Amino acid sequence: MMTLIKNEAKINEEKININRAQIEHRATWMGLIFDEAVKAGVDAEGILRRAIRRCGNIHGEIFKAQCANPESCVDFRHAFLGDIGVKTFEMENIEASEDELKVEFNYCALVSAWK
């Protein structure tokens, strides 16, 4: 049985809505590129997974450089979870210790665009 994804934004602020619209736009063209690559017989999923990983590594290095101690999840929390990002993805129940970071994401603009 497939679970229904609940992805309804509750926060409605101009700056957050602009950020979400930008993310949704990028997700839309990424989805269209995926569709066209599949139609062309290309391994679209493998290619996009590798590209997403590369992008994550690039951004991860930026966050790591902002941490006084890159091994600390508390430092990472402060570098990664800024006010706009927390509101954009409606993050809750944020808990950080030196070894662990827990976050609940309640909204995703990527999912909104792909649905």
Side-chain angles (χ1 to χ4, degrees), residues 91-95 102-104 106:
M91 298 177 196
E92 294 179 319
N93 302 319
I94 300 168
E95 298 175 26
K102 293 181 181 180
V103 183
E104 275 183 37
N106 293 296

PDB file of all heavy atoms in Angstrom, residues 91-95 102-104 106:
ATOM      1  N   MET A  91      10.518  23.257   9.370  1.00  0.00           N
ATOM      2  CA  MET A  91      11.228  22.329  10.241  1.00  0.00           C
ATOM      3  C   MET A  91      10.784  22.514  11.688  1.00  0.00           C
ATOM      4  O   MET A  91      10.563  23.633  12.131  1.00  0.00           O
ATOM      5  CB  MET A  91      12.737  22.567  10.149  1.00  0.00           C
ATOM      6  CG  MET A  91      13.314  22.351   8.787  1.00  0.00           C
ATOM      7  SD  MET A  91      15.070  22.754   8.795  1.00  0.00           S
ATOM      8  CE  MET A  91      15.397  22.892   7.054  1.00  0.00           C
ATOM      9  N   GLU A  92      10.658  21.398  12.385  1.00  0.00           N
ATOM     10  CA  GLU A  92      10.261  21.407  13.792  1.00  0.00           C
ATOM     11  C   GLU A  92      11.073  20.371  14.558  1.00  0.00           C
ATOM     12  O   GLU A  92      11.763  19.543  13.967  1.00  0.00           O
ATOM     13  CB  GLU A  92       8.783  21.055  13.950  1.00  0.00           C
ATOM     14  CG  GLU A  92       7.821  22.057  13.376  1.00  0.00           C
ATOM     15  CD  GLU A  92       6.381  21.617  13.558  1.00  0.00           C
ATOM     16  OE1 GLU A  92       6.077  20.421  13.387  1.00  0.00           O
ATOM     17  OE2 GLU A  92       5.574  22.487  13.877  1.00  0.00           O
ATOM     18  N   ASN A  93      10.903  20.423  15.877  1.00  0.00           N
ATOM     19  CA  ASN A  93      11.532  19.442  16.769  1.00  0.00           C
ATOM     20  C   ASN A  93      13.024  19.305  16.488  1.00  0.00           C
ATOM     21  O   ASN A  93      13.536  18.196  16.346  1.00  0.00           O
ATOM     22  CB  ASN A  93      10.816  18.095  16.684  1.00  0.00           C
ATOM     23  CG  ASN A  93       9.346  18.221  17.031  1.00  0.00           C
ATOM     24  OD1 ASN A  93       8.979  18.932  17.959  1.00  0.00           O
ATOM     25  ND2 ASN A  93       8.494  17.554  16.278  1.00  0.00           N
ATOM     26  N   ILE A  94      13.696  20.436  16.403  1.00  0.00           N
ATOM     27  CA  ILE A  94      15.127  20.452  16.129  1.00  0.00           C
ATOM     28  C   ILE A  94      15.873  20.158  17.420  1.00  0.00           C
ATOM     29  O   ILE A  94      15.717  20.860  18.413  1.00  0.00           O
ATOM     30  CB  ILE A  94      15.556  21.809  15.546  1.00  0.00           C
ATOM     31  CG1 ILE A  94      14.798  22.065  14.237  1.00  0.00           C
ATOM     32  CG2 ILE A  94      17.063  21.857  15.336  1.00  0.00           C
ATOM     33  CD1 ILE A  94      14.921  23.485  13.711  1.00  0.00           C
ATOM     34  N   GLU A  95      16.659  19.092  17.401  1.00  0.00           N
ATOM     35  CA  GLU A  95      17.462  18.707  18.556  1.00  0.00           C
ATOM     36  C   GLU A  95      18.888  18.457  18.085  1.00  0.00           C
ATOM     37  O   GLU A  95      19.103  17.720  17.127  1.00  0.00           O
ATOM     38  CB  GLU A  95      16.928  17.413  19.187  1.00  0.00           C
ATOM     39  CG  GLU A  95      15.518  17.504  19.719  1.00  0.00           C
ATOM     40  CD  GLU A  95      15.027  16.147  20.218  1.00  0.00           C
ATOM     41  OE1 GLU A  95      15.862  15.303  20.608  1.00  0.00           O
ATOM     42  OE2 GLU A  95      13.805  15.936  20.197  1.00  0.00           O
ATOM     43  N   LYS A 102      18.665  16.045  14.911  1.00  0.00           N
ATOM     44  CA  LYS A 102      17.350  15.554  14.508  1.00  0.00           C
ATOM     45  C   LYS A 102      16.496  16.742  14.092  1.00  0.00           C
ATOM     46  O   LYS A 102      16.445  17.750  14.798  1.00  0.00           O
ATOM     47  CB  LYS A 102      16.665  14.826  15.664  1.00  0.00           C
ATOM     48  CG  LYS A 102      17.344  13.541  16.070  1.00  0.00           C
ATOM     49  CD  LYS A 102      16.579  12.881  17.203  1.00  0.00           C
ATOM     50  CE  LYS A 102      17.258  11.619  17.646  1.00  0.00           C
ATOM     51  NZ  LYS A 102      16.535  10.963  18.745  1.00  0.00           N
ATOM     52  N   VAL A 103      15.821  16.601  12.960  1.00  0.00           N
ATOM     53  CA  VAL A 103      14.969  17.665  12.430  1.00  0.00           C
ATOM     54  C   VAL A 103      13.775  17.020  11.741  1.00  0.00           C
ATOM     55  O   VAL A 103      13.938  16.069  10.982  1.00  0.00           O
ATOM     56  CB  VAL A 103      15.712  18.534  11.384  1.00  0.00           C
ATOM     57  CG1 VAL A 103      14.833  19.666  10.897  1.00  0.00           C
ATOM     58  CG2 VAL A 103      17.026  19.042  11.909  1.00  0.00           C
ATOM     59  N   GLU A 104      12.581  17.555  11.968  1.00  0.00           N
ATOM     60  CA  GLU A 104      11.394  17.134  11.228  1.00  0.00           C
ATOM     61  C   GLU A 104      11.132  18.160  10.132  1.00  0.00           C
ATOM     62  O   GLU A 104      10.965  19.343  10.421  1.00  0.00           O
ATOM     63  CB  GLU A 104      10.170  17.097  12.147  1.00  0.00           C
ATOM     64  CG  GLU A 104       9.998  15.836  12.915  1.00  0.00           C
ATOM     65  CD  GLU A 104       8.728  15.871  13.743  1.00  0.00           C
ATOM     66  OE1 GLU A 104       7.694  16.417  13.281  1.00  0.00           O
ATOM     67  OE2 GLU A 104       8.788  15.351  14.867  1.00  0.00           O
ATOM     68  N   ASN A 106       8.485  19.381   7.485  1.00  0.00           N
ATOM     69  CA  ASN A 106       7.042  19.243   7.307  1.00  0.00           C
ATOM     70  C   ASN A 106       6.537  19.745   5.960  1.00  0.00           C
ATOM     71  O   ASN A 106       5.361  19.586   5.645  1.00  0.00           O
ATOM     72  CB  ASN A 106       6.308  19.971   8.436  1.00  0.00           C
ATOM     73  CG  ASN A 106       6.564  19.289   9.760  1.00  0.00           C
ATOM     74  OD1 ASN A 106       6.181  18.153   9.948  1.00  0.00           O
ATOM     75  ND2 ASN A 106       7.227  19.978  10.665  1.00  0.00           N
TER      76      ASN A 106
END
